[in-house]
Amino acid sequence: MEERNKTLGEFIIENQKAFQYSSGELSRIINSIRLAAKVVNYKVNQAGLVDIIGAAGEQNIQGEDQQKLDVYANEVFIQTLINREIVCGIASEENDDFITVQGSDNSHNNKYVILMDPLDGSSNIDVNVSVGTIFSVFRRITPIGTPVTSEDFLQPGINQVAAGYVIYGTSTMLVYTTGHGVNGFTLNPAIGTFYLSHPNMKFPENGNIYSVNEGNYVHFPQGVKNYIKYCQREEEDRPYTSRYIGSLVADFHRNMIKGGVYIYPTSSKAPKGKLRLLYECNPMAFIAEQAGGKATDGFGRIMEIQPTELHQRVPFFCGSKNMVEKAEEFMAEVE
């Protein structure tokens, strides 16, 4: 079969043995995400037609206004995972605390926990800009048969066994890794099937795009300001192009395909950064590294950070390897 005609289901079956715990559970997790993504995709595409856009009237644990589609996507992913009895715990950016999942026999025998941002960039829904879902999978570290604890979720990113994202845009794509490269699958909406469209995705080592919210420039650390000025200078292959969508999945996806760096630093407004380590930075860092890119907090590797709380925020520098390293040089100069 030609590689690009392969469905996600066929790809999962063929590559299951490459996963170190090949009991089929990870395949079932990816399959559950595939199903939930199709349901959410349907609602995203209906957003202008039904009462699903706009604010839900509540705030999440981060103090951010929840969009109606945030709440809907969160419920769809949680219920899909619970119904299939694959994971023993779920943590979501939209929930204050993690959810303990029991089997139908009230057991706690499942081996994996999943952490997710069910609808990244949801403030863009009302204006028809790409949004996404991000997920991260860990093998539990507490004994099988016992309820999960926060310890199972507060693991450094290097322990991830899978991570991925779904981007709901001009086409809907599911991109994921299990530690053996990164592959992208595009949904054919006519038949509801994901096909392998982007095998073995790689970040170009260099790029000419920098993605940062320059509206916050005055609040940025000096190292980031200096790097932005470097990107804008008319020298060598510069100035670079500034591209910032404000939806992490969309910015990351573009930069992985075209070559670029994404930066969400600390600032005087967000002294710890804004992005969540467990739901956004760790999974994207895992994908970036598997695609030959790099992800740091400006000084050290994202995936080596030991989390201390579920909704921990960190600064995030991610993308083409040489561009991230150049940004780190500017950070180190003023440290």
Side-chain angles (χ1 to χ4, degrees):
M1 180 182 296
E2 188 188 338
E3 190 80 348
R4 288 178 185 271
N5 289 334
K6 198 172 289 177
T7 67
L8 175 57
E10 289 163 345
F11 183 89
I12 288 170
I13 291 165
E14 281 182 24
N15 290 274
Q16 194 165 287
K17 289 190 175 68
F19 180 61
Q20 59 175 320
Y21 310 107
S22 57
S23 59
E25 285 162 301
L26 186 77
S27 302
R28 285 163 58 214
I29 291 172
I30 302 295
N31 274 320
S32 293
I33 288 164
R34 170 181 66 174
L35 175 61
K38 285 198 280 189
V39 175
V40 172
N41 175 68
Y42 179 71
K43 283 292 185 187
V44 168
N45 288 336
Q46 277 193 314
L49 300 172
V50 296
D51 185 28
I52 199 75
I53 61 174
E58 295 182 11
Q59 291 189 328
N60 64 14
I61 183 67
Q62 335 295 338
E64 298 162 340
D65 290 334
Q66 284 184 309
Q67 304 295 312
K68 291 174 187 172
L69 209 49
D70 270 327
V71 176
Y72 177 81
N74 194 41
E75 288 171 358
V76 167
F77 275 94
I78 288 172
Q79 283 309 314
T80 304
L81 289 160
I82 288 175
N83 291 347
R84 274 153 190 74
E85 299 188 18
I86 313 165
V87 295
C88 53
I90 303 168
S92 167
E93 183 178 301
E94 299 300 326
N95 292 69
D96 296 8
D97 207 352
F98 62 84
I99 299 165
T100 301
V101 181
Q102 290 178 275
S104 53
D105 56 355
N106 295 325
S107 68
H108 297 274
N109 293 330
N110 291 324
K111 303 183 187 75
Y112 298 98
V113 297
I114 189 163
L115 302 97
M116 63 181 182
D117 181 351
L119 208 65
D120 171 72
S122 54
S123 61
N124 284 320
I125 295 161
D126 294 5
V127 291
N128 213 3
V129 169
S130 297
V131 292
T133 296
I134 307 172
F135 64 92
S136 171
V137 182
F138 288 86
R139 194 170 167 88
R140 68 180 298 172
I141 51 180
T142 51
I144 290 173
T146 63
V148 289
T149 71
S150 59
E151 189 184 356
D152 293 303
F153 297 94
L154 298 179
Q155 299 187 56
I158 48 172
N159 291 357
Q160 288 174 104
V161 295
Y165 61 84
V166 183
I167 181 166
Y168 311 100
T170 48
S171 61
T172 295
M173 277 187 71
L174 191 158
V175 176
Y176 82 99
T177 181
T178 57
H180 300 277
V182 178
N183 292 280
F185 301 81
T186 300
L187 179 66
N188 178 341
I191 54 176
T193 302
F194 282 95
Y195 285 94
L196 178 62
S197 55
H198 293 65
N200 196 26
M201 297 178 79
K202 291 287 182 190
F203 266 99
E205 280 202 349
N206 294 294
N208 65 354
I209 296 171
Y210 69 101
S211 309
V212 62
N213 185 352
E214 291 183 72
N216 288 329
Y217 180 89
V218 68
H219 303 288
F220 287 155
Q222 191 59 47
V224 174
K225 290 179 179 176
N226 293 348
Y227 178 68
I228 291 173
K229 289 300 178 195
Y230 164 85
C231 292
Q232 295 169 340
R233 215 171 289 143
E234 213 164 347
E235 292 174 358
E236 300 164 345
D237 59 341
R238 287 169 282 127
Y240 294 151
T241 300
S242 174
R243 289 283 182 272
Y244 185 73
I245 297 168
S247 178
L248 171 61
V249 165
D251 281 310
F252 180 97
H253 187 72
R254 180 204 52 243
N255 289 353
M256 179 159 60
I257 290 170
K258 294 193 168 184
V261 62
Y262 175 93
I263 299 174
Y264 208 117
T266 57
S267 68
S268 53
K269 290 203 304 184
K272 294 181 178 177
K274 189 185 176 192
L275 299 182
R276 264 63 59 160
L277 173 61
L278 296 181
Y279 312 113
E280 295 165 315
C281 302
N282 266 341
M284 289 311 210
F286 190 21
I287 297 165
E289 289 190 10
Q290 285 294 314
K294 188 168 185 179
T296 78
D297 63 359
F299 302 98
R301 188 181 177 201
I302 284 288
M303 292 212 296
E304 290 179 1
I305 297 172
Q306 174 60 55
T308 54
E309 53 186 278
L310 274 180
H311 299 283
Q312 184 172 341
R313 299 173 191 256
V314 292
F316 194 50
F317 294 66
C318 180
S320 295
K321 186 169 179 285
N322 293 344
M323 296 184 81
V324 174
E325 288 177 353
K326 177 57 76 172
E328 285 182 307
E329 283 177 27
F330 281 96
M331 294 297 287
E333 280 174 10
V334 293
E335 175 62 6

